[in-house]
Structures are given as structure tokens and as C-alpha cells.
């Protein structure tokens, strides 16, 4: 009986980490000031999974706690001339730990402007320990 409760608590903790990651990624597009693009509706279930809407709650209970790797690929639609594309990949590894954020921005805008936009995207990710000076590498 105790073993069952411990496994349930572990699954609940892992599910809570997954939900926190999902909310972090969902909120990111709203925090990033990037009016040159429009973000699509957020997909609740990360890749590589594909789940019917009516099965999401069951999927969350069964699979989200035990996933080894997952990611959200967000593809924006350009709204400004000169922007060819923007996508971001949030990757998570075992135990729902953040692995990396990859931002790919294709544009004819000058490098300094792009560096500013990318720095804003990273700041919007609210990484623990991130400081304004950390963006210098982007500008270089």
C-alpha cells in the first residue's frame, strides 16, 4: 500500500513538472515582444506525441509523468515584410529538466536589430540567472 502511494506521489510530482514546463512555454510567446510575427494556437501536447483532444486528460495521466524527452516546436507566421520565418524549439529531457531553447529567425533586417529581437526572446524565457549582460554574445 505504501509503495503504491509513493509511486502515485512521484507520478503527481512529475506531472506537475510537465505542467509547469508547458505553462512556461505557452506564456513565452506572449512575453516576447516580437510584433513582426504571429504565433499559432499553442499545442497542449508536445512532440513527438499526437493526441486527440478528447484523450488529452488521459494522456496527461498516463504518459506525461514518464516521458524521457519531449519538445514544443513553435512556428510563427511572418507579419512584416523582410521576415522569412521564425521558429523556436523548447527541449526537455529526463525528469522534465529543461535542456535547451533554439530560436531560428530568418530575416533581411540588420544584424543588430535581429540580435535585439533574439535577446528579447531569451529574456522572455525567464531563465534562472539570466542577466542583461548575457545578451552580449548575441550582438557579437
Amino acid at each position: 500500500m505504501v509503495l503504491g502511494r509513493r509511486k502515485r506521489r512521484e507520478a503527481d510530482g512529475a506531472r506537475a513538472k510537465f505542467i509547469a514546463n508547458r505553462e512556461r512555454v505557452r506564456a513565452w510567446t506572449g512575453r516576447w515582444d516580437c510584433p513582426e510575427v504571429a504565433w499559432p494556437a499553442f499545442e497542449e501536447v508536445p512532440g513527438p506525441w499526437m493526441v486527440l483532444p478528447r484523450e488529452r486528460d488521459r494522456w496527461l495521466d498516463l504518459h506525461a509523468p514518464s516521458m524521457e524527452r519531449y519538445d514544443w516546436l513553435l512556428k510563427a507566421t511572418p507579419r512584416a515584410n523582410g521576415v522569412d520565418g521564425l521558429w523556436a524549439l523548447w527541449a526537455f529531457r529526463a525528469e522534465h529538466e529543461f535542456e535547451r531553447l533554439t530560436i531560428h529567425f530568418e530575416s533581411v533586417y540588420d544584424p543588430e536589430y535581429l540580435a535585439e529581437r533574439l535577446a528579447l526572446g531569451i529574456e522572455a524565457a525567464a531563465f534562472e540567472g539570466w542577466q542583461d549582460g548575457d545578451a552580449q554574445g548575441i550582438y557579437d
Side-chain angles (χ1 to χ4, degrees), residues 4-68:
R5 278 188 284 204
R6 189 167 89 222
K7 283 190 90 164
R8 183 66 184 172
R9 267 196 318 270
E10 289 172 2
D12 289 346
R15 189 174 301 101
K17 287 180 181 180
F18 170 82
I19 290 170
N21 288 341
R22 184 180 66 190
E23 293 310 310
R24 180 180 183 187
V25 174
R26 179 198 322 263
W28 175 73
T29 59
R31 288 192 310 263
W32 184 5
D33 181 24
C34 192
E36 297 86 359
V37 300
W39 295 99
F42 183 76
E43 291 291 332
E44 298 289 321
V45 177
W49 294 88
M50 292 179 65
V51 178
L52 294 172
R54 67 178 181 271
E55 295 176 5
R56 282 188 186 139
D57 290 340
R58 184 168 182 251
W59 178 88
L60 180 61
D61 281 341
L62 294 175
H63 298 287
S66 60
M67 289 190 298
E68 288 295 314

Side-chain angles (χ1 to χ4, degrees), residues 38-135:
W39 295 99
F42 183 76
E43 291 291 332
E44 298 289 321
V45 177
W49 294 88
M50 292 179 65
V51 178
L52 294 172
R54 67 178 181 271
E55 295 176 5
R56 282 188 186 139
D57 290 340
R58 184 168 182 251
W59 178 88
L60 180 61
D61 281 341
L62 294 175
H63 298 287
S66 60
M67 289 190 298
E68 288 295 314
R69 298 186 64 86
Y70 56 95
D71 54 59
W72 274 279
L73 176 62
L74 309 171
K75 292 183 180 180
T77 303
R79 296 191 329 192
N81 289 332
V83 175
D84 295 326
L86 172 59
W87 58 263
L89 179 71
W90 284 79
F92 297 88
R93 63 178 181 265
E95 298 184 26
H96 305 279
E97 294 297 319
F98 171 76
E99 183 175 18
R100 75 180 172 278
L101 168 59
T102 303
I103 302 172
H104 182 84
F105 202 139
E106 294 179 42
S107 173
V108 297
Y109 291 127
D110 66 81
E112 194 170 311
Y113 178 82
L114 287 174
E116 181 180 326
R117 283 289 167 224
L118 289 172
L120 288 172
I122 293 168
E123 288 173 10
F127 292 124
E128 190 173 315
W130 177 262
Q131 297 177 4
D132 290 340
D134 296 336

